[in-house]
Amino acid sequence: MLLSALAFSLMGVCVKALGGRLPVEQVVLARSVVSLLISWWMLRRAGVSPWGQRKGLLVSRGVLGTAGLYCVFLAIAGLPLAVATVLQYLHPTFTALLAWPLLGERPGARVWLAVALGWLGVLLLTDPGVLALVLPPGTAAGVAAGAALPTLPLLFALAGALLSALAYVSVRALRRSEHPLVVVFYFPLLALPLSLPLVLLHPVMPTTAEWGWLLGVGVFTQLGQLALTRGLMTMPAARATALSYVQVPLAALWGLLWFGETLDPDILTAAGLVLGSTLLSLGR
């Protein structure tokens, strides 16, 4: 799970570096092609059939993951990298809530405390934008908060978190019947036909540098998916996704180093809370 957080944070750097010139469906398509080729090679090398047993759930996981990926990429393009990442990482809370009725995995007190710390980090890091969701609209603070972040990327980020949680619960449900490589394979297998028609409507030729960033998106997403799938298949869903909060301070660091996005006291405090939630979730 920690390796997946590192890989996904670097994927975010690649998406942000593209600068929004390429349509998001073209980024998803490039990611899908790279991931599909790597997955097929790994399946052949391992001697595993790619088609799996529970095809309906595998297809559902692929569709949910693709929809979530669109939302995440749109959020990254419209928000600071650290803010987009931390909003995406509301998904441990959604996962914990969904895993209880859908998987029968009741979160313990330690996981709930980790989730609470993660949410507190979210509120601090996205201050004042997310606070607009909880403050009365008539207050001065609520009005100021509402103007802080663009609404549409914010909604994309929240939708991405919910869709990711549904996809992760699906992965956890597949643990008894499917090889991890099969689960990873179905993601680009569904993403490619879902994105190709949109790309053909409005194709944009990437520059040389953009080809490199697109390759990075595909490679880092593949690494992240492999690590994430193995983690979710061996740990309870709520605990596993709570670990992935570590991507938040990583995104803040990459935002500072690559894009000059400053680290103010709120970001540093939020990073400390997120790391604290990660350490809590490591205990039994």
Side-chain angles (χ1 to χ4, degrees), residues 252-268:
L253 177 61
W254 304 148
L256 173 66
L257 295 178
W258 286 84
F259 308 108
E261 297 172 355
T262 57
L263 292 173
D264 59 31
D266 281 352
I267 291 178
L268 294 173

Side-chain angles (χ1 to χ4, degrees), residues 1-2 5 85-86 88-94 111 113-122 238-251 270-271 273-278 281:
M1 293 306 298
L2 295 175
T85 302
V86 80
Q88 164 66 8
Y89 272 79
L90 291 173
H91 76 250
T93 301
F94 295 137
V111 169
L113 182 56
V115 167
L117 285 177
W119 266 93
L120 185 55
V122 166
R239 184 178 173 212
T241 51
L243 270 175
S244 60
Y245 269 131
V246 76
Q247 185 179 337
V248 175
L250 286 173
L273 288 168
V274 166
L275 288 173
S277 74
T278 300
S281 66

Side-chain angles (χ1 to χ4, degrees), residues 113-133:
L113 182 56
V115 167
L117 285 177
W119 266 93
L120 185 55
V122 166
L123 292 174
L124 285 173
L125 190 55
T126 54
D127 177 58
V130 169
L131 294 181
L133 300 175

Side-chain angles (χ1 to χ4, degrees), residues 6-48:
L6 174 61
F8 286 138
S9 72
L10 293 172
M11 177 210 73
V13 170
C14 295
V15 174
K16 190 75 174 177
L18 285 167
R21 192 185 77 89
L22 297 178
V24 67
E25 58 267 19
Q26 198 159 330
V27 181
V28 173
L29 177 65
R31 176 256 181 223
S32 303
V33 170
V34 174
S35 186
L36 192 65
L37 292 173
I38 295 174
S39 296
W40 181 260
W41 174 77
M42 295 183 74
L43 283 164
R44 292 291 299 272
R45 190 166 178 263
V48 176

Side-chain angles (χ1 to χ4, degrees), residues 61-75:
R61 185 266 180 273
V63 172
L64 289 168
T66 301
L69 196 63
Y70 270 98
C71 291
V72 170
F73 285 177
L74 288 167

